Amino acid sequence: MKKLTYILALTSLVSFAQQTPAPKQTKSILIMGGTAHLGNGKIQENSLISIIDGKIATVIDGTLVRPAKHDIVIDAYGKHIYPGFIAPNSTLGLVEIDAVRASDDESEIGEFNPHIRSIIAYNSESKITESARPNGVLLAQVTPRGGRISGTSSVVQLDAWNWEDAVVRENDGIHMRWPSSYARLGWWAEPGGIEPNKKYDEQTKAIQLFFDKALAYANSDKKVKDIPYEAMNGLQNGSKTLYVNANGEKEITDIILFKKKNNIQKLVIIGGYNAHKITDLLKENNVSVLLRRIHDVPNSEDEDVNLPYKIAKILTDKGIVVGLENSGDMERMQTRNIPFYAGTCAAWGMNKEDALKLITSNTAKILGIDAKYGTLEAGKSATLFISEGDALDMKSNKLTHAFIDGRQISLESHQTVLYERYKDKYEGQSTKSEVKQ
């Protein structure tokens, strides 16, 4: 009986396994006639997109030229073509089942862990990762959680055998959680107001002390190797970005002062709920924002109930480079909804193509991968997809093709398998019910 149970369990795992990664592109591909949303704010109607050796060879107006012969021709007339969407500050591939501790690799014990590299724990065969691709999410920044300095993130593409194959940019930045200047009382069901955080100065001084020690180590002869301090290298020369989680106006202001004091070249605010109140300071110091999940309620009773939907437009209108992130409850499962967050921004004042930049070119720029990803341009990676409708609209977005580095990837997941399995069953029950009535 035990042997039979084991065989059934193994069969179940195999039947719902991750789709086999697509092989390297060997044949030239031509996508004809679609409306290409370039990701830089522009649109190319009736486009011709040529893909050769994993890269975009040309993106041109199909009415002006006769296309060269290609091995594979895809008819995209009436459809829409987009750059692959990017999910920053994500824990995709780090946790599979929240209730199973052995499958949770998103955090480590301790307060200061810059040397913890999330990419080592990344599971390229995660079923959750697979479920994001049918909505056009093809790249992600795999990010650790926990502690004051959580660790080092890396950027991956979402169709690979292992983390080595998946990595797009390894060790792109260090993630830190800035202390809050206030503390909330009570709990979510019975909030009890707020009070000043009496340990705020102490906590910020601890951060500064760690940075001082890391700088002293960098300037020493390094006779004794210190791995955490080694990991801090790159913040002063700009080869790594410092990503800091903060939402309050005071906190963000203090972080910018901290940036100046420590000569940090690249700083990104994650969350940034009140960043719209200090836009001049952000722009003056070249600070970008990965805006927190916008499908949320306001923080204060006296704020516009629709403020979370409008913050992206307020910031971009002031010249701030803004991307959208999705950390929080059910964040891995919700990754597939990032395109619709951008759609909400468009519904609340942003131009549709500018809203698209929030999850394509802007995010690519913030993550330092814009030389290869984020837009449909000649010479860049052919990481893109074709949708029958508007990719920022939950109702009409339906992918027909998706490519990562020119490789046509599968759009199946365990969810699409279950959908196909039970679709006929429930359609049949609906027909029987109608007959009885």
Side-chain angles (χ1 to χ4, degrees), residues 377-430:
E377 296 181 71
K380 289 196 174 183
S381 167
T383 299
L384 54 92
F385 66 88
I386 304 172
S387 174
E388 291 184 354
D390 181 354
L392 305 189
D393 174 47
M394 186 180 293
K395 186 176 181 180
S396 64
N397 184 29
K398 183 179 180 181
L399 271 64
T400 60
H401 301 76
F403 302 86
I404 293 179
D405 296 328
R407 301 175 297 112
Q408 185 172 351
I409 68 171
S410 170
L411 292 173
E412 288 188 351
S413 69
H414 64 289
Q415 293 173 331
T416 60
V417 170
L418 290 172
Y419 170 77
E420 292 298 332
R421 178 179 179 183
Y422 290 103
K423 178 178 64 174
D424 293 338
K425 173 183 177 181
Y426 290 107
E427 284 181 352
Q429 286 183 353
S430 177

CSV table of all heavy atoms in Angstrom, one decimal, residues 377-430:
chain,number,residue,atom,x,y,z
A,377,GLU,N,13.3,47.2,-29.1
A,377,GLU,CA,14.2,48.0,-30.0
A,377,GLU,C,15.2,47.1,-30.6
A,377,GLU,O,15.6,46.0,-30.0
A,377,GLU,CB,15.0,49.0,-29.1
A,377,GLU,CG,14.1,50.1,-28.5
A,377,GLU,CD,14.9,51.1,-27.7
A,377,GLU,OE1,15.7,51.9,-28.3
A,377,GLU,OE2,14.9,51.1,-26.4
A,378,ALA,N,15.7,47.4,-31.8
A,378,ALA,CA,16.7,46.6,-32.4
A,378,ALA,C,18.0,46.5,-31.6
A,378,ALA,O,18.4,47.5,-31.0
A,378,ALA,CB,17.1,47.3,-33.8
A,379,GLY,N,18.5,45.3,-31.5
A,379,GLY,CA,19.7,45.0,-30.7
A,379,GLY,C,19.4,44.5,-29.3
A,379,GLY,O,20.3,44.0,-28.6
A,380,LYS,N,18.2,44.7,-28.8
A,380,LYS,CA,17.8,44.2,-27.5
A,380,LYS,C,17.3,42.8,-27.5
A,380,LYS,O,17.0,42.2,-28.5
A,380,LYS,CB,16.8,45.2,-26.8
A,380,LYS,CG,17.3,46.5,-26.5
A,380,LYS,CD,16.4,47.3,-25.5
A,380,LYS,CE,17.0,48.6,-25.1
A,380,LYS,NZ,16.2,49.3,-24.1
A,381,SER,N,17.3,42.2,-26.3
A,381,SER,CA,16.8,40.8,-26.2
A,381,SER,C,15.4,40.7,-26.7
A,381,SER,O,14.5,41.6,-26.4
A,381,SER,CB,16.9,40.4,-24.7
A,381,SER,OG,16.2,39.2,-24.5
A,382,ALA,N,15.1,39.6,-27.4
A,382,ALA,CA,13.8,39.3,-27.9
A,382,ALA,C,13.0,38.7,-26.8
A,382,ALA,O,12.6,37.5,-26.8
A,382,ALA,CB,13.8,38.5,-29.1
A,383,THR,N,12.7,39.5,-25.7
A,383,THR,CA,11.9,39.0,-24.6
A,383,THR,C,10.6,39.8,-24.7
A,383,THR,O,10.5,41.0,-24.3
A,383,THR,CB,12.6,39.3,-23.3
A,383,THR,OG1,13.8,38.5,-23.2
A,383,THR,CG2,11.8,38.9,-22.1
A,384,LEU,N,9.6,39.2,-25.2
A,384,LEU,CA,8.3,39.9,-25.6
A,384,LEU,C,7.2,38.9,-25.7
A,384,LEU,O,7.4,37.7,-25.6
A,384,LEU,CB,8.5,40.6,-26.9
A,384,LEU,CG,9.0,39.8,-28.1
A,384,LEU,CD1,7.9,39.2,-28.9
A,384,LEU,CD2,9.9,40.7,-29.0
A,385,PHE,N,6.0,39.4,-25.8
A,385,PHE,CA,4.8,38.5,-26.0
A,385,PHE,C,3.8,39.2,-26.9
A,385,PHE,O,3.8,40.4,-27.1
A,385,PHE,CB,4.3,38.1,-24.6
A,385,PHE,CG,3.7,39.3,-23.8
A,385,PHE,CD1,2.3,39.6,-24.0
A,385,PHE,CD2,4.4,40.0,-22.9
A,385,PHE,CE1,1.8,40.7,-23.3
A,385,PHE,CE2,3.9,41.0,-22.2
A,385,PHE,CZ,2.5,41.4,-22.4
A,386,ILE,N,2.9,38.3,-27.4
A,386,ILE,CA,1.8,38.8,-28.2
A,386,ILE,C,0.5,38.5,-27.4
A,386,ILE,O,0.3,37.4,-26.9
A,386,ILE,CB,1.7,38.0,-29.5
A,386,ILE,CG1,3.1,38.2,-30.3
A,386,ILE,CG2,0.6,38.5,-30.4
A,386,ILE,CD1,3.2,37.3,-31.5
A,387,SER,N,-0.4,39.5,-27.3
A,387,SER,CA,-1.7,39.3,-26.7
A,387,SER,C,-2.8,39.6,-27.6
A,387,SER,O,-2.7,40.5,-28.5
A,387,SER,CB,-1.8,40.3,-25.5
A,387,SER,OG,-3.0,40.3,-24.9
A,388,GLU,N,-3.9,38.9,-27.5
A,388,GLU,CA,-5.1,39.2,-28.3
A,388,GLU,C,-5.7,40.5,-27.9
A,388,GLU,O,-6.5,41.1,-28.8
A,388,GLU,CB,-6.1,38.1,-28.1
A,388,GLU,CG,-5.7,36.8,-28.7
A,388,GLU,CD,-6.7,35.7,-28.6
A,388,GLU,OE1,-7.8,35.9,-28.0
A,388,GLU,OE2,-6.5,34.6,-29.2
A,389,GLY,N,-5.5,41.0,-26.7
A,389,GLY,CA,-6.1,42.3,-26.3
A,389,GLY,C,-5.1,43.2,-25.6
A,389,GLY,O,-3.9,43.1,-25.7
A,390,ASP,N,-5.7,44.1,-24.8
A,390,ASP,CA,-4.9,45.0,-24.0
A,390,ASP,C,-4.2,44.3,-22.8
A,390,ASP,O,-4.9,43.8,-22.0
A,390,ASP,CB,-5.8,46.1,-23.5
A,390,ASP,CG,-5.1,47.2,-22.7
A,390,ASP,OD1,-3.9,47.0,-22.4
A,390,ASP,OD2,-5.7,48.2,-22.3
A,391,ALA,N,-2.9,44.2,-22.8
A,391,ALA,CA,-2.2,43.5,-21.7
A,391,ALA,C,-2.4,44.1,-20.3
A,391,ALA,O,-2.1,43.4,-19.3
A,391,ALA,CB,-0.7,43.3,-22.1
A,392,LEU,N,-2.8,45.3,-20.2
A,392,LEU,CA,-3.0,46.0,-19.0
A,392,LEU,C,-4.5,45.8,-18.5
A,392,LEU,O,-4.8,46.4,-17.4
A,392,LEU,CB,-2.7,47.5,-19.0
A,392,LEU,CG,-1.2,47.8,-19.5
A,392,LEU,CD1,-1.0,49.3,-19.3
A,392,LEU,CD2,-0.2,47.0,-18.8
A,393,ASP,N,-5.3,45.1,-19.2
A,393,ASP,CA,-6.7,44.9,-18.9
A,393,ASP,C,-6.9,43.5,-18.6
A,393,ASP,O,-6.7,42.6,-19.5
A,393,ASP,CB,-7.5,45.4,-20.1
A,393,ASP,CG,-9.0,45.1,-19.9
A,393,ASP,OD1,-9.5,45.4,-18.8
A,393,ASP,OD2,-9.7,44.6,-20.8
A,394,MET,N,-7.4,43.2,-17.4
A,394,MET,CA,-7.6,41.8,-17.0
A,394,MET,C,-8.6,41.1,-17.9
A,394,MET,O,-8.5,39.8,-18.1
A,394,MET,CB,-8.1,41.8,-15.5
A,394,MET,CG,-8.3,40.4,-14.9
A,394,MET,SD,-8.9,40.5,-13.2
A,394,MET,CE,-7.5,41.3,-12.4
A,395,LYS,N,-9.6,41.8,-18.4
A,395,LYS,CA,-10.6,41.1,-19.2
A,395,LYS,C,-10.1,40.7,-20.6
A,395,LYS,O,-10.5,39.6,-21.1
A,395,LYS,CB,-11.8,42.0,-19.3
A,395,LYS,CG,-13.0,41.4,-20.0
A,395,LYS,CD,-14.2,42.4,-20.0
A,395,LYS,CE,-15.4,41.7,-20.7
A,395,LYS,NZ,-16.6,42.6,-20.7
A,396,SER,N,-9.3,41.5,-21.2
A,396,SER,CA,-8.9,41.3,-22.6
A,396,SER,C,-7.5,40.7,-22.8
A,396,SER,O,-7.2,40.2,-23.9
A,396,SER,CB,-9.1,42.5,-23.4
A,396,SER,OG,-8.2,43.5,-23.0
A,397,ASN,N,-6.7,40.7,-21.8
A,397,ASN,CA,-5.3,40.2,-22.0
A,397,ASN,C,-5.3,38.7,-22.1
A,397,ASN,O,-5.7,37.9,-21.2
A,397,ASN,CB,-4.4,40.6,-20.8
A,397,ASN,CG,-3.0,40.1,-21.0
A,397,ASN,OD1,-2.5,40.1,-22.1
A,397,ASN,ND2,-2.3,39.9,-19.9
A,398,LYS,N,-4.9,38.2,-23.2
A,398,LYS,CA,-4.8,36.7,-23.5
A,398,LYS,C,-3.6,36.5,-24.4
A,398,LYS,O,-3.7,36.8,-25.6
A,398,LYS,CB,-6.1,36.2,-24.1
A,398,LYS,CG,-6.1,34.7,-24.3
A,398,LYS,CD,-7.4,34.2,-24.9
A,398,LYS,CE,-7.3,32.7,-25.1
A,398,LYS,NZ,-8.6,32.1,-25.7
A,399,LEU,N,-2.6,35.9,-23.8
A,399,LEU,CA,-1.4,35.7,-24.6
A,399,LEU,C,-1.5,34.5,-25.6
A,399,LEU,O,-2.1,33.5,-25.2
A,399,LEU,CB,-0.2,35.4,-23.6
A,399,LEU,CG,0.6,36.7,-23.1
A,399,LEU,CD1,-0.3,37.5,-22.3
A,399,LEU,CD2,1.8,36.2,-22.4
A,400,THR,N,-1.0,34.7,-26.7
A,400,THR,CA,-0.9,33.6,-27.7
A,400,THR,C,0.5,33.1,-27.9
A,400,THR,O,0.7,32.0,-28.2
A,400,THR,CB,-1.5,34.1,-29.1
A,400,THR,OG1,-0.7,35.2,-29.6
A,400,THR,CG2,-2.9,34.6,-29.0
A,401,HIS,N,1.5,34.0,-27.8
A,401,HIS,CA,2.9,33.7,-27.9
A,401,HIS,C,3.7,34.5,-26.9
A,401,HIS,O,3.4,35.6,-26.5
A,401,HIS,CB,3.5,34.0,-29.3
A,401,HIS,CG,2.8,33.4,-30.4
A,401,HIS,ND1,1.5,33.8,-30.9
A,401,HIS,CD2,3.1,32.3,-31.2
A,401,HIS,CE1,1.1,33.0,-31.9
A,401,HIS,NE2,2.1,32.1,-32.1
A,402,ALA,N,4.8,33.9,-26.4
A,402,ALA,CA,5.7,34.6,-25.5
A,402,ALA,C,7.1,34.1,-25.8
A,402,ALA,O,7.4,32.9,-26.0
A,402,ALA,CB,5.4,34.4,-24.0
A,403,PHE,N,8.1,35.0,-25.7
A,403,PHE,CA,9.5,34.7,-26.1
A,403,PHE,C,10.4,35.3,-25.0
A,403,PHE,O,10.2,36.4,-24.5
A,403,PHE,CB,9.9,35.3,-27.4
A,403,PHE,CG,9.1,34.9,-28.6
A,403,PHE,CD1,7.9,35.5,-28.9
A,403,PHE,CD2,9.5,33.8,-29.3
A,403,PHE,CE1,7.1,35.1,-30.0
A,403,PHE,CE2,8.7,33.4,-30.4
A,403,PHE,CZ,7.5,34.0,-30.7
A,404,ILE,N,11.4,34.5,-24.6
A,404,ILE,CA,12.5,35.0,-23.7
A,404,ILE,C,13.8,34.8,-24.4
A,404,ILE,O,14.1,33.6,-24.8
A,404,ILE,CB,12.5,34.3,-22.3
A,404,ILE,CG1,11.2,34.6,-21.5
A,404,ILE,CG2,13.7,34.6,-21.5
A,404,ILE,CD1,11.1,33.9,-20.2
A,405,ASP,N,14.5,35.8,-24.7
A,405,ASP,CA,15.7,35.8,-25.5
A,405,ASP,C,15.5,35.0,-26.8
A,405,ASP,O,16.4,34.2,-27.2
A,405,ASP,CB,16.8,35.1,-24.7
A,405,ASP,CG,17.2,35.9,-23.4
A,405,ASP,OD1,17.1,37.2,-23.5
A,405,ASP,OD2,17.6,35.4,-22.4
A,406,GLY,N,14.4,35.2,-27.4
A,406,GLY,CA,14.1,34.6,-28.7
A,406,GLY,C,13.5,33.2,-28.6
A,406,GLY,O,13.2,32.6,-29.6
A,407,ARG,N,13.5,32.6,-27.4
A,407,ARG,CA,13.0,31.2,-27.2
A,407,ARG,C,11.5,31.3,-27.0
A,407,ARG,O,11.1,32.0,-26.1
A,407,ARG,CB,13.7,30.6,-26.1
A,407,ARG,CG,15.2,30.5,-26.2
A,407,ARG,CD,15.9,29.9,-25.0
A,407,ARG,NE,15.7,30.7,-23.8
A,407,ARG,CZ,15.0,30.4,-22.7
A,407,ARG,NH1,14.4,29.2,-22.7
A,407,ARG,NH2,14.9,31.2,-21.7
A,408,GLN,N,10.7,30.6,-27.8
A,408,GLN,CA,9.3,30.6,-27.6
A,408,GLN,C,9.0,29.7,-26.4
A,408,GLN,O,9.2,28.5,-26.5
A,408,GLN,CB,8.5,30.1,-28.8
A,408,GLN,CG,7.0,30.3,-28.6
A,408,GLN,CD,6.2,30.0,-29.9
A,408,GLN,OE1,6.7,29.9,-31.0
A,408,GLN,NE2,4.9,29.9,-29.7
A,409,ILE,N,8.4,30.3,-25.3
A,409,ILE,CA,8.2,29.5,-24.1
A,409,ILE,C,6.8,29.0,-24.0
A,409,ILE,O,5.9,29.5,-24.7
A,409,ILE,CB,8.5,30.4,-22.9
A,409,ILE,CG1,7.5,31.5,-22.7
A,409,ILE,CG2,10.0,30.9,-22.9
A,409,ILE,CD1,7.7,32.3,-21.4
A,410,SER,N,6.6,28.0,-23.2
A,410,SER,CA,5.2,27.5,-22.9
A,410,SER,C,4.4,28.5,-22.1
A,410,SER,O,5.0,29.1,-21.1
A,410,SER,CB,5.3,26.1,-22.2
A,410,SER,OG,4.0,25.7,-21.8
A,411,LEU,N,3.1,28.6,-22.4
A,411,LEU,CA,2.2,29.4,-21.6
A,411,LEU,C,1.3,28.6,-20.7
A,411,LEU,O,0.3,29.1,-20.1
A,411,LEU,CB,1.4,30.3,-22.5
A,411,LEU,CG,2.3,31.4,-23.2
A,411,LEU,CD1,1.4,32.2,-24.2
A,411,LEU,CD2,2.9,32.4,-22.1
A,412,GLU,N,1.6,27.3,-20.6
A,412,GLU,CA,0.8,26.4,-19.8
A,412,GLU,C,1.3,26.5,-18.3
A,412,GLU,O,2.5,26.8,-18.1
A,412,GLU,CB,0.9,24.9,-20.3
A,412,GLU,CG,0.2,24.7,-21.6
A,412,GLU,CD,0.1,23.2,-21.9
A,412,GLU,OE1,0.8,22.4,-21.2
A,412,GLU,OE2,-0.6,22.8,-22.8
A,413,SER,N,0.4,26.2,-17.4
A,413,SER,CA,0.8,26.1,-16.0
A,413,SER,C,-0.1,25.0,-15.4
A,413,SER,O,-1.0,24.5,-16.0
A,413,SER,CB,0.7,27.4,-15.3
A,413,SER,OG,-0.7,27.8,-15.2
A,414,HIS,N,0.1,24.7,-14.1
A,414,HIS,CA,-0.8,23.8,-13.5
A,414,HIS,C,-2.2,24.4,-13.4
A,414,HIS,O,-3.2,23.6,-13.4
A,414,HIS,CB,-0.3,23.5,-12.0
A,414,HIS,CG,-0.3,24.6,-11.1
A,414,HIS,ND1,0.6,25.7,-11.2
A,414,HIS,CD2,-1.1,24.9,-10.0
A,414,HIS,CE1,0.4,26.6,-10.2
A,414,HIS,NE2,-0.7,26.1,-9.5
A,415,GLN,N,-2.4,25.7,-13.4
A,415,GLN,CA,-3.7,26.3,-13.4
A,415,GLN,C,-4.4,26.1,-14.8
A,415,GLN,O,-5.6,25.8,-14.8
A,415,GLN,CB,-3.6,27.8,-13.1
A,415,GLN,CG,-3.1,27.9,-11.6
A,415,GLN,CD,-2.8,29.4,-11.3
A,415,GLN,OE1,-2.5,30.2,-12.1
A,415,GLN,NE2,-3.0,29.7,-10.0
A,416,THR,N,-3.7,26.3,-15.9
A,416,THR,CA,-4.3,26.1,-17.2
A,416,THR,C,-4.7,24.6,-17.4
A,416,THR,O,-5.7,24.3,-18.0
A,416,THR,CB,-3.4,26.6,-18.3
A,416,THR,OG1,-2.2,25.9,-18.3
A,416,THR,CG2,-3.1,28.1,-18.2
A,417,VAL,N,-3.8,23.7,-16.9
A,417,VAL,CA,-4.1,22.3,-17.0
A,417,VAL,C,-5.4,22.0,-16.3
A,417,VAL,O,-6.3,21.3,-16.8
A,417,VAL,CB,-3.0,21.5,-16.4
A,417,VAL,CG1,-3.4,20.0,-16.3
A,417,VAL,CG2,-1.7,21.6,-17.3
A,418,LEU,N,-5.6,22.5,-15.0
A,418,LEU,CA,-6.8,22.3,-14.3
A,418,LEU,C,-8.0,22.9,-15.0
A,418,LEU,O,-9.1,22.4,-15.0
A,418,LEU,CB,-6.7,22.8,-12.9
A,418,LEU,CG,-5.7,22.1,-12.0
A,418,LEU,CD1,-5.5,22.8,-10.7
A,418,LEU,CD2,-6.2,20.7,-11.7
A,419,TYR,N,-7.8,24.1,-15.6
A,419,TYR,CA,-8.9,24.8,-16.3
A,419,TYR,C,-9.4,23.9,-17.4
A,419,TYR,O,-10.6,23.7,-17.6
A,419,TYR,CB,-8.4,26.1,-16.8
A,419,TYR,CG,-9.4,26.8,-17.8
A,419,TYR,CD1,-10.5,27.4,-17.3
A,419,TYR,CD2,-9.2,26.7,-19.1
A,419,TYR,CE1,-11.4,28.0,-18.2
A,419,TYR,CE2,-10.1,27.3,-20.0
A,419,TYR,CZ,-11.2,27.9,-19.5
A,419,TYR,OH,-12.1,28.5,-20.4
A,420,GLU,N,-8.5,23.4,-18.2
A,420,GLU,CA,-8.9,22.5,-19.3
A,420,GLU,C,-9.5,21.2,-18.9
A,420,GLU,O,-10.5,20.7,-19.5
A,420,GLU,CB,-7.7,22.2,-20.2
A,420,GLU,CG,-7.1,23.4,-20.9
A,420,GLU,CD,-8.1,24.0,-21.9
A,420,GLU,OE1,-8.9,23.3,-22.4
A,420,GLU,OE2,-8.0,25.2,-22.2
A,421,ARG,N,-9.0,20.7,-17.7
A,421,ARG,CA,-9.6,19.5,-17.2
A,421,ARG,C,-11.0,19.6,-16.8
A,421,ARG,O,-11.9,18.7,-17.0
A,421,ARG,CB,-8.7,19.0,-16.0
A,421,ARG,CG,-9.2,17.7,-15.4
A,421,ARG,CD,-8.3,17.3,-14.3
A,421,ARG,NE,-8.8,16.1,-13.6
A,421,ARG,CZ,-8.2,15.5,-12.6
A,421,ARG,NH1,-7.1,16.1,-12.0
A,421,ARG,NH2,-8.7,14.4,-12.0
A,422,TYR,N,-11.4,20.7,-16.1
A,422,TYR,CA,-12.7,20.8,-15.5
A,422,TYR,C,-13.6,21.7,-16.3
A,422,TYR,O,-14.8,21.8,-16.0
A,422,TYR,CB,-12.6,21.4,-14.1
A,422,TYR,CG,-12.0,20.4,-13.1
A,422,TYR,CD1,-10.7,20.5,-12.7
A,422,TYR,CD2,-12.7,19.4,-12.6
A,422,TYR,CE1,-10.1,19.6,-11.8
A,422,TYR,CE2,-12.2,18.4,-11.8
A,422,TYR,CZ,-10.9,18.6,-11.4
A,422,TYR,OH,-10.3,17.7,-10.5
A,423,LYS,N,-13.1,22.3,-17.4
A,423,LYS,CA,-14.0,23.2,-18.2
A,423,LYS,C,-15.2,22.5,-18.8
A,423,LYS,O,-16.3,22.9,-18.6
A,423,LYS,CB,-13.2,23.8,-19.3
A,423,LYS,CG,-13.9,24.7,-20.3
A,423,LYS,CD,-13.0,25.3,-21.3
A,423,LYS,CE,-12.5,24.2,-22.2
A,423,LYS,NZ,-11.7,24.8,-23.4
A,424,ASP,N,-15.0,21.4,-19.4
A,424,ASP,CA,-16.0,20.6,-20.0
A,424,ASP,C,-17.0,20.1,-19.0
A,424,ASP,O,-18.2,20.0,-19.2
A,424,ASP,CB,-15.5,19.5,-20.9
A,424,ASP,CG,-14.7,19.9,-22.1
A,424,ASP,OD1,-14.9,21.1,-22.5
A,424,ASP,OD2,-13.8,19.2,-22.6
A,425,LYS,N,-16.5,19.7,-17.8
A,425,LYS,CA,-17.4,19.2,-16.8
A,425,LYS,C,-18.4,20.2,-16.4
A,425,LYS,O,-19.6,19.9,-16.3
A,425,LYS,CB,-16.5,18.8,-15.6
A,425,LYS,CG,-17.3,18.3,-14.4
A,425,LYS,CD,-16.5,18.0,-13.2
A,425,LYS,CE,-17.3,17.7,-12.0
A,425,LYS,NZ,-16.5,17.4,-10.8
A,426,TYR,N,-18.0,21.4,-16.1
A,426,TYR,CA,-18.9,22.4,-15.6
A,426,TYR,C,-19.8,23.0,-16.7
A,426,TYR,O,-20.9,23.4,-16.5
A,426,TYR,CB,-18.2,23.5,-14.8
A,426,TYR,CG,-17.6,22.9,-13.5
A,426,TYR,CD1,-16.3,22.7,-13.3
A,426,TYR,CD2,-18.5,22.6,-12.5
A,426,TYR,CE1,-15.8,22.1,-12.1
A,426,TYR,CE2,-18.1,22.1,-11.3
A,426,TYR,CZ,-16.7,21.8,-11.1
A,426,TYR,OH,-16.3,21.3,-9.9
A,427,GLU,N,-19.2,23.1,-17.9
A,427,GLU,CA,-20.0,23.5,-19.1
A,427,GLU,C,-21.2,22.5,-19.3
A,427,GLU,O,-22.3,22.9,-19.6
A,427,GLU,CB,-19.2,23.6,-20.3
A,427,GLU,CG,-18.3,24.9,-20.3
A,427,GLU,CD,-17.5,25.0,-21.6
A,427,GLU,OE1,-17.5,24.0,-22.4
A,427,GLU,OE2,-16.9,26.0,-21.8
A,428,GLY,N,-20.9,21.2,-19.1
A,428,GLY,CA,-21.9,20.2,-19.3
A,428,GLY,C,-23.0,20.3,-18.2
A,428,GLY,O,-24.2,20.1,-18.5
A,429,GLN,N,-22.6,20.5,-17.0
A,429,GLN,CA,-23.5,20.7,-15.9
A,429,GLN,C,-24.4,21.9,-16.1
A,429,GLN,O,-25.6,21.9,-15.9
A,429,GLN,CB,-22.8,20.9,-14.6
A,429,GLN,CG,-22.2,19.6,-14.1
A,429,GLN,CD,-21.5,19.8,-12.7
A,429,GLN,OE1,-21.4,20.9,-12.2
A,429,GLN,NE2,-21.0,18.7,-12.1
A,430,SER,N,-23.8,23.0,-16.7
A,430,SER,CA,-24.6,24.2,-17.0
A,430,SER,C,-25.7,23.9,-18.0
A,430,SER,O,-26.8,24.3,-17.9
A,430,SER,CB,-23.7,25.3,-17.5
A,430,SER,OG,-24.5,26.4,-17.9
